[in-house]
Amino acid sequence: MKDIRLMKGNEAIAEGVIRAGCDGYFGYPITPQSEVLEYLMATKTKERTGMITLQAESEIASIHMVYGGAACGKRVMTSSSSPGISLMQEGISFMAGTELPCLLLNVVRGGPGLGTIQPSQSDYFQAVKGGGHGDYKMIVLAPASVQEMYDFAKLGFELAFKHRIQVMVLSDGAIGQMMEKVELDEQIQRLTDAEIKQKYPWATTGKTPDRERNIITSLDLNPVKQEIININLQKKFKHIEQTEVRFERIMCDDAEYLFVAYGSSARICQKAVLLGRERGIKVGLLRPITLFPYPSKELAKLAKQVKGMLSVEMSAGQMVEDVRLSVNGAVPVEHYGRLGGIMPAPDEVLNVLENKFIRLSVNTPRLCLGIKKIL
Amino acid sequence: MNYIPTREEIIADHDNVVYERTCLLTDNPLSYCPGCGHGTAHRLIMEVVEEMNLQADTIGVAPVGCSVLAYDFMNIDMQQAAHGRAPAVATGIKRLMPDKFVFTYQGDGDLAAIGTGETLHACNRGENITIFFVNNGIYGMTGGQMAPTTLPNMKTATSPYGRDVETMGYPLKITELIAMLPGTYFVSRQSVHTPANVRKAKKAIEKAIQYQKLNKGLCFVEIVSNCNSGWKMTPEQSNKWMEENMFPYYPLGDIKVPKEK
Ligand SMILES: Cc1ncc(C[n+]2csc(CCOP(=O)(O)OP(=O)(O)O)c2C)c(N)n1
Ligand code: SF4
Ligand SMILES: [Mg+2]
């Protein structure tokens, strides 16, 4: 029988990591994601699977605890929301430099600064373009449902260890807090120390006579060697771009206009697509699931088919830059966003699409003036 | 007639060896300035790890500071931590590998300035790790700037007229602070600038490693050391200056010892 439960997004990912065989969670409370740590504590992970759950003194400490655990070949993670993720950038950069696998969750809230505790998508640049110092990328997964919050725990760890890379689940306050039904799967056993030693020969598990000592460091003072390290990192990111792109096409086959949106915004646009179809507008939605690697090729293909694309984000226009890079001028690309924790409504985004592309194209620009221009 | 071996033969005969370098130090030439205490501290720690037969069970954490390359010299599995974060990194290791001997090796800038939070909280949680703290009262690696441990009126690159405690704060006795926390089990302050001090320091290091097995809390060994380059002195002058100025402020000896049962 299927194990189906009604859960919050934050609880779903917490349950997901336990079942994905996670070894350790280190985190610090912050709204709107504190339920992750609370759920893990309440469910007694140590007794359930042997997984360690520890409340750290800060997000800085959390990410460096993750570093220490990951360097031992363990499946470790942390979660936070925007201000906390900013604090973690040092540690994330060190993990990029040492190619350590880990799972990171950002349940994004509006910024800058303390901002708000309401949902937002304004950390796209930080997540996708490399928020810390140095040339690096993380794999970024964007869940649009509570089920995906759950599923991306397992997928995230798989990708992290497959490529020795940091995987960030870029969620938002709405996906984290809302409740939906979730289908759970079987518990995956945690790896034993012996299995880790065998599977991950790079891990610091204690130097035994059968191998050289293992060193986890991001330092090389020789610029020639450091350049080679960087070039190899870039090769890895290229490979990931070629092999790990994920997206969902919703009513794209006959679409003349396209929404491009991820996470909560994609849910809103999905509704707007149905609304548009009722109004006789052939509109579709491309939902990137991986934000890095970005579904650029798919968008380039769709650019040959549609008359216009509207990137809908709860930000002042971050992902829209990647949409524009993908289509490279082949089709008009516009942005619509709400800021500071406000979520747009489906008819609102549909009206924007109509105004930006359709009413303009039948040469009635005056209609535009009646629309409150927000951004 | 008995054969009398040459001097070279006597030296080459392993039975005559009274002391040799531990095999847990690599052959890489130390990157430290001649006369610096870091090298001696490395050797002592590795000697004890070897004598306790812990090589396969040890995971060390190197800091940011002159000893950032400790992993080049210590023949064990090691991780390099961001500046000040070594106690958090060690926490992550030890929580997930509770049977390993886990230690950090940190300078005073690393441990008592940028990493104060990580240090105090690891101590306060009673993490079963060992911290080796090399206090030379200065930022050696970056060229001799003021550290939290710099003595009053001491001249450094960023306190060129001497540390004015009114505006620059007081030297931080972090080891005394740490000893007050219930999470620490053994806290000791030593030096390695004379053979007698080396022997005492080695004893403290042995205890700090042995005690980790008891899972009773954090063990902490400070080594007050010289930075002859940063202090702009010869090695000899620096050791004398250390005795006259550092030791009165940072007195040597055990600060917290386990209660005998
Ligand atoms: C985040 C960060 N800030 C600053 C530095 C520069 N830095 C490198 S070592 C160091 C001071 C180290 O001093 P200490 O810990 O006393 O070690 P020592 O070299 O004296 O042994 C500083 C400030 C850095 N590497 N990272
Ligand atoms: S700068 Fe100071 S601490 Fe660093 S190696 Fe030289 S003497 Fe030692
Ligand atoms: Mg120092």
Side-chain angles (χ1 to χ4, degrees), chain A residues 112-371:
Chain A
L114 215 43
T116 170
I117 57 169
Q118 304 301 327
S120 176
Q121 295 181 315
S122 46
D123 296 354
Y124 180 92
F125 281 154
Q126 187 195 51
V128 171
K129 307 291 174 186
H133 58 286
D135 274 325
Y136 75 91
K137 294 273 165 78
M138 300 185 282
I139 293 180
V140 182
L141 300 171
S145 64
V146 174
Q147 182 69 52
E148 280 189 338
M149 283 288 268
Y150 173 84
D151 292 340
F152 289 177
K154 190 165 129 199
L155 175 65
F157 275 128
E158 276 167 15
L159 292 173
F161 277 86
K162 181 173 167 194
H163 298 287
R164 272 190 73 176
I165 195 169
Q166 310 72 53
V167 174
M168 176 174 278
V169 175
L170 190 70
S171 185
D172 62 63
I175 303 284
Q177 293 294 327
M178 72 187 187
M179 290 185 98
E180 286 182 323
K181 74 171 182 353
V182 193
E183 191 180 327
L184 307 178
D185 42 19
E186 297 286 293
Q187 173 71 46
I188 295 172
Q189 289 308 308
R190 292 175 46 241
L191 296 182
T192 63
D193 284 355
E195 285 167 335
I196 287 174
K197 192 172 153 65
Q198 199 243 328
K199 260 184 113 154
Y200 311 126
W202 46 265
T204 54
T205 50
K207 190 212 166 307
T208 40
D210 57 323
R211 66 157 169 83
E212 287 299 300
R213 69 191 193 284
N214 280 343
I215 297 166
I216 300 292
T217 181
S218 53
L219 175 74
D220 203 316
L221 293 170
N222 178 342
V224 177
K225 285 195 196 158
Q226 189 58 256
E227 185 178 41
I228 293 169
I229 291 170
N230 269 276
I231 288 171
N232 287 335
L233 267 182
Q234 295 304 318
K235 278 188 195 155
K236 178 166 87 175
F237 302 142
K238 262 269 147 354
H239 173 68
I240 289 169
E241 280 184 299
Q242 277 152 10
T243 55
E244 300 294 0
V245 175
R246 286 169 168 78
F247 56 83
E248 186 186 8
R249 287 166 56 107
I250 295 171
M251 298 199 167
C252 286
D253 288 353
D254 63 343
E256 293 177 358
Y257 301 95
L258 193 71
F259 287 117
V260 188
Y262 68 96
S264 285
S265 294
R267 292 290 287 268
I268 293 159
C269 289
Q270 196 172 346
K271 182 89 182 143
V273 166
L274 297 176
L275 225 65
R277 297 268 167 175
E278 279 171 24
R279 290 188 201 170
I281 306 165
K282 285 188 177 166
V283 55
L285 164 65
L286 188 89
R287 174 170 83 90
I289 293 173
T290 49
L291 299 178
F292 178 83
Y294 197 70
S296 298
K297 282 190 189 142
E298 189 61 23
L299 278 169
K301 250 194 272 167
L302 284 162
K304 295 194 185 122
Q305 171 192 328
V306 302
K307 297 179 190 157
M309 296 185 183
L310 182 66
S311 174
V312 178
E313 309 166 57
M314 296 187 290
S315 80
Q318 301 191 14
M319 185 185 73
V320 66
E321 293 192 2
D322 283 334
V323 181
R324 290 198 171 116
L325 280 171
S326 305
V327 307
N328 199 17
V331 68
V333 175
E334 297 283 353
H335 159 77
Y336 182 70
R338 297 297 302 264
L339 311 179
I342 302 276
M343 300 180 75
D347 62 332
E348 182 182 345
V349 297
L350 184 63
N351 287 343
V352 174
L353 182 115
E354 282 187 273
N355 278 296
K356 296 229 185 210
F357 299 118
I358 302 166
R359 291 181 193 161
L360 273 182
S361 65
V362 294
N363 224 351
T364 51
R366 296 181 121 253
L367 262 176
C368 261
L369 300 174
I371 302 290

Side-chain angles (χ1 to χ4, degrees), chain A residues 57 67 90 211 214 216, chain B residues 71 77-78 80 85 125:
Chain A
E57 68 271 27
Y67 178 100
E90 175 196 58
R211 66 157 169 83
N214 280 343
I216 300 292
Chain B
Y71 55 76
D77 276 7
M78 282 195 92
Q80 199 287 314
R85 316 298 177 219
R125 281 192 305 268

Side-chain angles (χ1 to χ4, degrees), chain A residues 23-24 26 52-58 60-62 64-72 74 76 90 94 193 203-209 211-219 221, chain B residues 26 28 55-59 64 68-69 71-83 85 87-93 95-97 99-100 114 117-119 121-122 125 127:
Chain A
D23 295 301
F26 305 94
I52 300 294
T53 305
L54 182 66
Q55 178 168 339
E57 68 271 27
S58 70
I60 299 179
S62 308
H64 291 281
M65 290 173 184
V66 167
Y67 178 100
C72 298
K74 300 281 183 178
V76 280
E90 175 196 58
F94 270 67
D193 284 355
T204 54
T205 50
K207 190 212 166 307
T208 40
R211 66 157 169 83
E212 287 299 300
R213 69 191 193 284
N214 280 343
I215 297 166
I216 300 292
T217 181
S218 53
L219 175 74
L221 293 170
Chain B
T26 64
N28 295 331
Q55 185 188 31
D57 293 317
T58 300
I59 302 171
V64 170
V68 62
L69 289 174
Y71 55 76
D72 269 357
F73 315 125
M74 298 182 175
N75 191 11
I76 51 170
D77 276 7
M78 282 195 92
Q79 303 182 13
Q80 199 287 314
H83 197 16
R85 316 298 177 219
V89 171
T91 299
I93 302 171
R95 291 282 178 141
L96 296 168
M97 309 278 275
D99 299 333
K100 298 290 171 192
I114 194 165
E118 285 76 10
T119 303
H121 284 282
R125 281 192 305 268
E127 296 295 340

Side-chain angles (χ1 to χ4, degrees), chain B residues 31-33 36-38 66 136 140-141 226-230:
Chain B
S31 50
Y32 302 110
C33 308
C36 171
H38 271 306
C66 277
N136 54 17
M141 181 184 221
N226 62 340
C227 172
N228 38 289
S229 291

Side-chain angles (χ1 to χ4, degrees), chain B residues 234-251:
Chain B
T234 64
E236 228 181 320
Q237 285 168 340
S238 72
N239 284 338
K240 193 158 174 284
W241 190 88
M242 180 166 70
E243 284 177 352
E244 287 167 1
N245 299 278
M246 295 281 277
F247 293 171
Y249 200 89
Y250 302 112

